[in-house]
Amino acid sequence: MANHEQNKNILLELIKLPDNSRCADCGAPDPEWASSTLGVFVCLNCSGIHRSLSSRVKSIKLDFWDDKMVEFMKSNGNAKNQALYEKAVPPYYYQPKESDCVVLKEQWIRAKYERMEFTGETKYPPLSYTTGFYEGMLWKKGKENTQFLKRKFVLSEREFTLTYYNKENESKGPKALISIKDINATFQPEKIGHPNGLQITYQDDDHTRNLYVYHESPQEIVTWYNAIRAARYAYLRTAYPTGRDAELIPKITRNYLKEGYMEKTGPLQNEPFKKRWFVLDSQNRKLFYFKGQLDAEELGVVFIGTEKKGYAVKECVPKHAQGNKWKWGVMVETPKRQFVFMCEQDREQKEWLDALKQVLSRPMSPLHH
């Protein structure tokens, strides 16, 4: 029993080391699990994925560790494993964080330890997202309805385009030819209602267009995601030849800072309130609003500048409340008008205020000016 306590204390000291103090796979702080097969320290969520890969996973605090296992953990650890399994991760490959969805974390772990894609030894066949060209079928939601239908998608890094076809017969030409210049991709499993749901957004004339797609295969949808990121990275390298990776990589794709329903009134602030789905894109400094959360195009957009340029965000109580069921107000002031939104709960009001103020406090780029 004394030996058991001694081994536990050794492991508890090991996870205090900087390299072991965060999950080896998603970076979550204070991991309390470990793979005694690989010698890495992981969080509870990633431990379940490791277990599904037939890796021996044990709790540091609750399970029994014998001397041999503890010695193995001491001689390995997160830094040594990352040097091996993450030796050749492409700069554009998305490495998931603690807050990311399960499909991204699972495929990152499988790509590392099961398929060993990043050890620098995988030469043939070339990986889908390194060839500069990718095509396949994705289930896509209809623009005007909720039905998902199979559509062919073709990604070309050379042309910097993503194309999709309405029918399998390509002779009729593409339904849309999307420039990589304006594209964004973000996983939206809850919104789309599928664990592998991906939202693709791009600029279509004066509108922002949303495509909602999924694939039955988790590996396939994550491959599509990283293929799009690879093409975006190639585009950014061309557009900004002197740009460093530290500057370019955050621009490849992004998750939206905040999404959710709020009620909105008109410019006179005496029009009836209507429930709308809002999306805050911090990179573009834009607050989009839609009739529903799976709409293809926005109803409107509010640009969020800086205080120096006459923009402000604050709590408010509407003067002429009409038709609003919710009572927690948010006001966005622009040089031209005031926008009044209502949240269902005070927690949501605080989250929206914090997110909007975060954008407000950031300096505008020359592009935004």
Side-chain angles (χ1 to χ4, degrees), residues 5-281:
E5 283 301 314
Q6 186 181 346
N7 282 340
K8 187 172 89 169
N9 288 333
I10 292 169
L11 292 170
L12 290 172
E13 288 302 311
L14 283 175
I15 59 171
K16 288 180 184 175
L17 298 173
D19 292 324
N20 297 333
S21 66
R22 289 189 170 272
C23 173
D25 300 313
C26 77
D30 307 318
E32 294 188 356
W33 296 76
S35 165
S36 60
T37 308
L38 295 164
V40 291
F41 297 92
V42 295
C43 68
L44 175 62
N45 290 330
C46 290
S47 74
I49 300 169
H50 276 275
R51 194 173 280 113
S52 71
L53 270 62
S54 301
S55 181
R56 282 183 306 175
V57 180
K58 297 166 76 71
S59 165
I60 292 167
K61 293 181 178 178
L62 302 176
D63 290 329
F64 175 77
W65 290 80
D66 63 31
D67 295 350
K68 190 176 177 183
M69 284 179 181
V70 171
E71 283 303 313
F72 181 73
M73 295 304 298
K74 281 170 69 177
S75 62
N76 284 276
N78 291 359
K80 187 175 179 181
N81 271 269
Q82 285 164 343
L84 169 63
Y85 292 106
E86 299 179 25
K87 181 182 177 183
V89 181
Y92 52 77
Y93 191 97
Y94 186 78
Q95 299 181 38
K97 303 175 185 67
E98 180 186 5
S99 57
D100 281 311
C101 61
V102 173
V103 67
L104 273 170
K105 289 192 243 187
E106 183 192 353
Q107 289 308 308
W108 167 237
I109 289 168
R110 287 186 180 276
K112 276 205 292 184
Y113 306 113
E114 190 177 59
R115 301 193 290 270
M116 299 184 73
E117 290 183 13
F118 311 122
T119 58
E121 296 168 9
T122 307
K123 294 183 175 66
Y124 190 84
L127 300 169
S128 307
Y129 40 82
T130 64
T131 59
F133 181 86
Y134 199 55
E135 64 179 337
M137 305 297 285
L138 293 171
W139 288 94
K140 175 191 163 291
K141 180 190 167 294
K143 184 178 179 181
E144 307 295 343
N145 56 48
T146 57
Q147 188 178 14
F148 281 81
L149 296 169
K150 265 192 174 179
R151 297 291 182 245
K152 182 176 181 179
F153 282 76
V154 178
L155 178 72
S156 171
E157 188 178 295
R158 190 180 66 183
E159 305 291 335
F160 289 137
T161 56
L162 176 67
T163 308
Y164 78 88
Y165 298 83
N166 247 7
K167 305 292 179 189
E168 291 185 35
N169 180 5
E170 293 180 37
S171 62
K172 293 183 179 179
K175 177 68 176 173
L177 187 66
I178 301 164
S179 169
I180 291 297
K181 175 178 178 287
D182 300 313
I183 206 168
N184 185 43
T186 177
F187 275 90
Q188 296 277 18
E190 288 182 23
K191 195 159 86 170
I192 293 172
H194 193 282
N196 304 334
L198 186 70
Q199 178 178 335
I200 297 170
T201 304
Y202 63 96
Q203 204 62 32
D204 184 18
D205 296 327
D206 295 333
H207 280 283
T208 299
R209 179 82 160 86
N210 293 319
L211 303 180
Y212 304 99
V213 300
Y214 70 84
H215 196 282
E216 297 93 334
S217 161
Q219 184 179 345
E220 182 72 7
I221 199 67
V222 173
T223 297
W224 267 107
Y225 178 62
N226 281 301
I228 290 170
R229 284 181 57 87
R232 276 280 300 159
Y233 178 70
Y235 166 77
L236 290 167
R237 297 288 301 166
T238 305
Y240 307 99
T242 59
R244 294 176 292 113
D245 275 0
E247 299 166 319
L248 300 182
I249 288 168
K251 291 182 169 71
I252 297 177
T253 59
R254 71 262 183 204
N255 295 330
Y256 298 119
L257 188 57
K258 172 82 178 144
E259 291 189 73
Y261 281 111
M262 289 192 286
E263 292 181 329
K264 175 187 176 297
T265 186
L268 301 177
Q269 296 181 30
N270 59 10
E271 297 91 339
F273 277 84
K274 292 179 180 176
K275 187 178 172 183
R276 297 289 182 247
W277 178 262
F278 286 81
V279 175
L280 181 58
D281 185 344

Side-chain angles (χ1 to χ4, degrees), residues 288-304:
F288 297 95
Y289 55 94
F290 303 82
K291 190 173 183 180
Q293 60 178 335
L294 289 178
D295 281 8
E297 293 179 353
E298 79 276 14
L299 292 175
V301 59
V302 183
F303 181 78
I304 312 293

Side-chain angles (χ1 to χ4, degrees), residues 355-369:
L356 288 161
K357 285 175 181 176
Q358 190 176 319
V359 177
L360 194 75
S361 65
R362 273 193 14 244
M364 290 199 292
S365 69
L367 181 70
H368 294 132
H369 282 292

